[in-house]
Amino acid sequence: MVTWVEPPSTATALLLLGRGADAETEKGVECPGELPPASDLHLVERARRAKAALGDRVFVLGHHYQRDEVIQFADVTGDSFKLARDAAGRPGAEFIVFCGVHFMAESADILTGPEQRVILPDLGAGCSMADMAALVQVEKAWDALAEAGVAATTVPVTYMNSSADIKGFVGRNGGVVCTSSNAERAMRWAFERGEKVLFLPDQHLGRNTAVLKLGLSLEECVLYDPHKPTGGLTPEQLRDAKVILWRGHCSVHGRFTLDNVTEVRKRVPGVNVLVHPECRYDVVTAADYVGSTEYIIKVLDEAPSGSSWAIGTELNLVRRLALAHPDKQISFLERNVCYCSTMNRIDLPHLVWALEELAAGRVPNQITVDARTAADARVGLDRMLALP
Ligand code: 13P
Ligand code: SF4
């Protein structure tokens, strides 16, 4: 039985989301071409035609948070880890159209060959979390660690949701990139090579991994605030810490609360709470299952008919899951939380425009990472791909 409460319209959803952080990532980027109107009744047919005309020259990747209207044209769908691997595994495709956000397209550019071009259909599709760590801030933090005498024994680990610059920093400094599906392995890898970890930029994924997976205590994790001198920490605090968490978070997952978990448990007897590890520590601790988007899909695929689920992740994915499993009761963990507004920027008009431009011999919205940054970032990404 699907007990789906129709979510708010996109416009309402964006209002509910409180655009502060996301508006920053969108940087007022206008489409450089002429977008077809959303009211064009032939958009699906146009996308189909343009994609067919391009044939094997184009490979379309779709993150699980993308809209249905876009996902239907993806050659593969996946979480950030799977998409990074899939991008790297398609050397024959001339164009990789990335239906996701900017940091994913950057990683795809780094992992693909020099003759391949990566296209992001809307350049405004950034990520508020990735924007919370700038290279200059991370270099300052590293200086603070050096002054405290611990930089040489600290291994930096960055979440995939960070700019290529930050991945480059990590690659240059003996560190590794991770995603939500391999953060535990990445952190263990780092502790085999150093005494401390600097975890960027998602404090929640870092804390959840350190405490709930590696068994460290909350006191062994300190929070580095890039807006304060030396992160708001004393040299002694930096020396005593095992994990230095960057003060960043996801504006979507950060909205789920412990009250949401308590409320749904009261309302739906026997409900299973399944959340993404970008959620806060108290939410993750109170949940029954925690994992990446790919994991969430797998758990629901394997769940028995008739079981009840409250899911704490982005709405497009939860909606799709509810429709795909009419025999299970699937609801959203928090009634007002909504779409990731930047993921949602990739809509059918932008996809049609990008595919038609490519079919016409023009390359729109190409994402390129400069060679030096790419080489350093590739080191961090390759270390991730080689994790056991
Ligand atoms: P995963 O797809 O790796 O689970 O990450 C979710 C996310 O927030 C991507 O931005
Ligand atoms: Fe960034 Fe959060 Fe959106 Fe993922 S869901 S792209 S982390 S803002």
Side-chain angles (χ1 to χ4, degrees), residues 16-290:
L16 284 168
L17 190 55
R19 295 289 291 271
D22 285 330
E24 228 175 79
T25 75
E26 295 169 23
K27 296 183 181 97
V29 182
E30 293 298 325
C31 176
E34 202 159 315
L35 278 185
S39 57
D40 182 340
L41 296 176
H42 305 289
L43 287 178
V44 169
E45 186 45 40
R46 284 173 64 172
R48 231 177 248 149
R49 216 179 310 130
K51 194 161 181 259
L54 288 159
D56 288 344
R57 294 173 64 208
V58 72
F59 189 55
V60 181
L61 298 170
H63 187 268
H64 292 309
Y65 293 164
Q66 291 288 295
R67 299 160 178 259
D68 290 348
E69 68 193 40
V70 167
I71 277 291
Q72 64 179 318
F73 292 105
D75 294 306
V76 288
T77 59
D79 62 5
S80 339
F81 180 70
K82 183 166 177 274
L83 293 180
R85 259 195 349 209
D86 287 342
R90 267 295 166 140
E94 201 178 328
F95 308 116
I96 305 283
V97 174
F98 212 121
C99 299
V101 288
H102 195 267
F103 69 80
M104 297 178 179
E106 278 187 334
S107 298
D109 183 53
I110 294 165
L111 291 167
T112 50
E115 68 298 333
Q116 292 181 283
R117 322 254 194 122
V118 177
I119 316 303
L120 184 64
D122 184 341
L123 293 179
C127 164
S128 55
M129 180 201 286
D131 286 353
M132 289 176 196
L135 181 58
V136 58
Q137 295 173 317
V138 175
E139 282 170 342
K140 264 195 193 162
W142 202 244
D143 288 345
L145 289 171
E147 272 168 40
V150 294
T153 51
T154 301
V155 178
V157 178
T158 192
Y159 190 22
M160 186 67 126
N161 301 24
S162 57
S163 66
D165 275 353
I166 304 296
K167 293 186 179 86
F169 172 89
V170 161
R172 273 195 300 284
N173 288 285
V176 64
V177 178
C178 74
T179 68
S180 54
S181 55
N182 57 23
E184 178 185 350
R185 271 172 288 155
M187 209 182 263
R188 288 191 191 284
W189 179 96
F191 274 119
E192 282 160 18
R193 284 154 184 84
E195 291 167 16
K196 292 179 198 302
V197 166
L198 169 64
F199 194 91
L200 304 152
D202 185 9
Q203 58 167 302
H204 300 302
L205 179 65
R207 188 179 294 106
N208 293 331
T209 307
V211 178
L212 301 172
K213 301 286 187 184
L214 270 70
L216 298 178
S217 69
L218 282 173
E219 293 68 39
E220 287 173 301
C221 305
V222 291
L223 193 59
Y224 182 98
D225 183 344
H227 300 291
K228 292 184 179 163
T230 68
L233 297 167
T234 62
E236 195 176 24
Q237 284 175 308
L238 288 172
R239 279 195 287 273
D240 288 347
K242 291 292 283 176
V243 179
I244 298 142
L245 301 167
W246 193 261
R247 191 171 185 158
H249 66 275
C250 165
S251 48
V252 177
H253 293 91
R255 296 175 75 94
F256 297 108
T257 64
L258 183 57
D259 282 352
N260 298 148
V261 179
T262 313
E263 189 275 328
V264 78
R265 289 207 193 278
K266 268 195 210 138
R267 188 165 42 86
V268 186
V271 70
N272 296 282
V273 178
L274 168 55
V275 302
H276 194 278
E278 286 174 17
C279 292
R280 299 180 207 184
Y281 175 75
D282 55 354
V283 173
V284 166
T285 312
D288 301 300
Y289 302 88
V290 185

Side-chain angles (χ1 to χ4, degrees), residues 328-365:
K328 297 161 202 171
Q329 192 183 327
I330 296 176
S331 63
F332 198 57
L333 179 58
E334 207 267 320
R335 290 178 186 188
N336 289 326
V337 173
C338 37
Y339 307 100
C340 169
S341 64
T342 48
M343 280 277 181
N344 242 14
R345 286 189 65 120
I346 313 286
D347 57 9
L348 195 49
H350 281 89
L351 182 60
V352 167
W353 171 72
L355 291 171
E356 287 183 348
E357 285 293 291
L358 290 173
R362 294 180 291 269
V363 180
N365 290 3

